[in-house]
Amino acid sequence: MAEACPAPLYLVGGSVRDFLCGLPMERADWDLASPCTEEGFIAAAKGAGFAVKAVYPRTGTVKIENGAGIACEFTRFRRDEYREGVHAPVSVEFTDDIAVDARRRDFCCNAVYYDILGGEFLDPLGGIEDMRRRILRTVAPAERVFGEDGLRLLRLARQAAQTGFSPDEECLTGAKRHCTLIRDIVPERVYHELILLLHADEKTGDGKAPYRGLCILKETGVLAEILPELTLGDGMEQNAKFHDHDVLEHSLRAVLYAAPSVRLAALLHDVGKPYCLLRNGRYYGHEIEGGRIARDILTRLKAPTAVIERVTLLVRLHMRDLDLQMKESKVRRELIEYYPFLDEFFAVKQADFSACKDVMTEAPVVTKWKAVMEAMKREGVPFTLKELAVNGRDVQNAGVPAERTAEILHALLLGCALDGRKNEREQLLRRAKQLAEE
Ligand code: ATP
Ligand code: MG
């Protein structure tokens, strides 16, 4: 494609940065740039077997994809003009000058160009030296860079986390000064960036990465903008017998100790605490309020419905049997009730426990519940309807009305919690009839 392009074609952005830093390159997006026009690029791309997915003439952007699933985003060299409070540039001027294009980007390490045909790197702003020093530095005065586009606030924290680089002082000051510009960014994008941040360890394998990213969001004031319910817990003391950290720091550390699949739930697990303390003077019941608040937050951020439901449930459940006083019979029923979520439930419990005093031993409640679960498995207790010795048709043939089938099957399943031997066809059918008559 580069051969057919009427002007030099460059790779830029994440792929060049990650390559030069030795970070994994298995990526879905390749960012291309050139002084050539969109038309010139499109002809070259089509010749190389790519299909054009989208063209945005105003910014000189073209999205292409080939049959092998390689996707690229081309942007023509340009200078952007912004009006404060508007995420997209208000005017765009195309240019042949690579240094001008570099200065419309965000960080210098994202403005290193690889000349595909020439086989050399062009580094108009010293981005390679920044990578060596492992810093994030803005391409122009940070005041201006962050004042232009609120999305850069999230990119700062997310990319710092993903690369392990530290924002320089000027960067942090500029971001702090403009943290309210995050309000211009659509919630879907905020959510998307937050999720990327919570999985920022994928590239470097540094498990602290998501926590570091959250600390940058906190320090720049962006966290208080996007999750004000959570940052109310900043400085909110907790019982020192159980906790080394205030409510907010405990929540951030829960992410540090959480398995990837539950980081969002870990972040929000105590979001009900500030609300309860401010309203009732105590934290009692915070998991219930927390479930409600987590749902509100995730709805506001337009998270997928399945995520909202799962996180809400995990937040509501996170206090279960914390004092280890729950009777085994109840634990058994709950293990069946929440069986599809148990891995995540245990992971949240563990994250919460570890974040209290930064201890890595297994949470006692996890040890207890896992032992009960193992015992149940040994006894042949069914955990799912699939494992139950009767199905919907069986109980209906035994006289259970269709509209009560689900409820009665569920009751039969729970009825086996204490004794796996009850999972026997004839017994279950007798019980089903009894239940139907009640
Ligand atoms: P990755 O693809 O690994 O997430 P990236 O840095 O390539 O990171 P992209 O969103 O693909 O991020 O953007 C490509 C490049 O475009 C960036 O490296 C940066 O130079 C520029 N860029 C993207 N978004 C912005 C923005 N909001 N403001 C300024 N420059 C941006
Ligand atoms: Mg990219």
Side-chain angles (χ1 to χ4, degrees):
M1 166 162 48
E3 289 92 342
C5 201
L9 186 62
Y10 301 93
L11 265 175
V12 65
S15 58
V16 178
R17 181 196 65 223
D18 292 350
F19 172 77
L20 289 171
C21 297
L23 291 172
M25 292 288 293
E26 72 278 345
R27 55 171 46 247
D29 84 313
W30 299 88
D31 305 304
L32 296 168
S34 170
C36 86
T37 61
E38 301 92 285
E39 293 75 25
F41 172 75
I42 287 172
K46 283 185 174 163
F50 281 84
V52 175
K53 292 283 156 188
V55 183
Y56 306 95
R58 213 175 75 82
T59 55
T61 301
V62 181
K63 294 187 177 192
I64 59 168
E65 210 174 293
N66 72 5
I70 297 182
C72 309
E73 184 168 310
F74 164 87
T75 46
R76 187 171 164 189
F77 279 7
R78 63 172 208 253
R79 177 206 309 272
D80 293 333
E81 201 71 52
Y82 286 88
R83 199 173 61 228
E84 177 153 333
V86 184
H87 158 60
V90 286
S91 76
V92 167
E93 190 186 310
F94 297 114
T95 173
D96 288 341
D97 187 343
I98 200 167
V100 170
D101 186 70
R103 277 193 213 95
R104 66 117 180 135
R105 294 177 183 273
D106 46 8
F107 309 113
C108 297
C109 62
N110 289 340
V112 178
Y113 300 72
Y114 177 69
D115 179 344
I116 297 173
L117 269 192
E120 56 171 356
F121 292 96
L122 277 80
D123 182 14
L125 304 177
I128 295 177
E129 174 62 9
D130 288 4
M131 293 182 214
R132 203 191 52 74
R133 294 172 59 205
R134 302 174 60 73
I135 59 164
L136 284 178
R137 188 170 55 94
T138 47
V139 294
E143 277 282 322
R144 200 175 92 206
V145 169
F146 289 107
E148 286 177 344
D149 173 8
L151 182 61
R152 295 171 182 168
L153 296 160
L154 291 171
R155 287 177 58 86
L156 170 71
R158 190 254 292 179
Q159 294 202 333
Q162 285 178 327
T163 56
F165 295 177
S166 303
D168 70 359
E169 270 310 310
E170 194 202 326
C171 212
L172 287 173
T173 311
K176 269 182 216 168
R177 159 117 166 67
H178 292 291
C179 65
T180 56
L181 291 191
I182 197 66
R183 295 173 193 171
D184 305 328
I185 306 303
V186 295
E188 292 89 340
R189 194 62 205 259
V190 173
Y191 175 75
H192 176 70
E193 286 287 333
L194 182 63
I195 296 300
L196 288 177
L197 186 151
L198 291 176
H199 296 90
D201 54 332
E202 279 170 7
K203 280 190 190 182
T204 58
D206 173 8
K208 284 199 169 154
Y211 172 73
R212 283 190 59 243
L214 289 169
C215 289
I216 293 172
L217 286 183
K218 177 186 165 193
E219 188 180 351
T220 52
V222 176
L223 195 62
E225 288 291 326
I226 60 176
L227 298 174
E229 300 90 339
L230 190 68
T231 54
L232 272 180
D234 193 9
M236 207 167 255
E237 295 303 326
Q238 315 204 70
N239 185 342
K241 193 166 145 207
F242 306 111
H243 284 277
D244 281 354
H245 309 290
D246 65 31
V247 174
L248 176 59
E249 182 61 20
H250 170 75
S251 304
L252 304 189
R253 278 175 192 252
V255 174
L256 175 61
Y257 298 117
S261 63
V262 297
R263 288 191 182 140
L264 191 54
L267 179 66
L268 297 178
H269 79 281
D270 270 350
V271 74
K273 275 191 170 172
Y275 177 88
C276 286
L277 189 76
L278 295 171
R279 207 184 71 158
N280 306 327
R282 57 190 187 144
Y283 293 136
Y284 180 79
H286 72 270
E287 69 275 26
I288 304 304
E289 295 297 348
R292 181 182 59 73
I293 296 168
R295 180 184 290 284
D296 285 353
I297 290 173
L298 295 173
T299 305
R300 178 175 82 218
L301 292 179
K302 300 204 176 1
T305 311
V307 172
I308 299 178
E309 294 307 326
R310 189 171 47 86
V311 171
T312 302
L313 177 70
L314 290 168
V315 171
R316 286 176 64 96
L317 291 181
H318 85 271
M319 291 295 283
R320 278 293 200 286
D321 200 18
L322 195 67
D323 57 6
L324 304 174
Q325 295 302 305
M326 193 183 280
K327 285 211 183 91
E328 181 173 329
S329 54
K330 179 140 196 263
V331 173
R332 283 178 173 244
R333 281 195 301 275
E334 299 238 316
L335 282 166
I336 293 175
E337 196 81 65
Y338 300 115
Y339 189 66
F341 308 98
L342 285 183
D343 285 344
E344 296 191 337
F345 170 72
F346 291 147
V348 170
K349 281 287 205 184
Q350 185 61 52
D352 186 9
F353 174 77
S354 291
C356 289
K357 286 184 168 282
D358 302 288
V359 281
M360 301 308 292
T361 51
E362 187 170 61
V365 59
V366 173
T367 309
K368 172 182 165 184
W369 282 44
K370 278 190 173 167
V372 174
M373 188 164 85
E374 287 313 314
M376 290 164 75
K377 287 197 168 157
R378 276 197 304 276
E379 294 163 19
V381 172
F383 284 86
T384 62
L385 290 181
K386 236 176 147 173
E387 295 170 68
L388 200 62
V390 292
N391 63 24
R393 188 164 324 125
D394 298 332
V395 294
Q396 283 181 11
N397 288 341
V400 169
E403 68 277 10
R404 293 199 59 203
T405 303
E407 165 219 333
I408 287 181
L409 283 175
H410 190 67
L412 294 178
L413 187 64
L414 288 178
C416 298
L418 299 184
D419 185 355
R421 286 168 306 185
K422 288 192 175 160
N423 190 19
E424 187 267 323
R425 197 177 155 80
E426 293 311 317
Q427 275 191 70
L428 290 172
L429 290 176
R430 272 201 304 279
R431 180 76 188 127
K433 272 189 215 157
Q434 245 177 28
L435 288 169
E437 282 159 16
E438 275 171 13

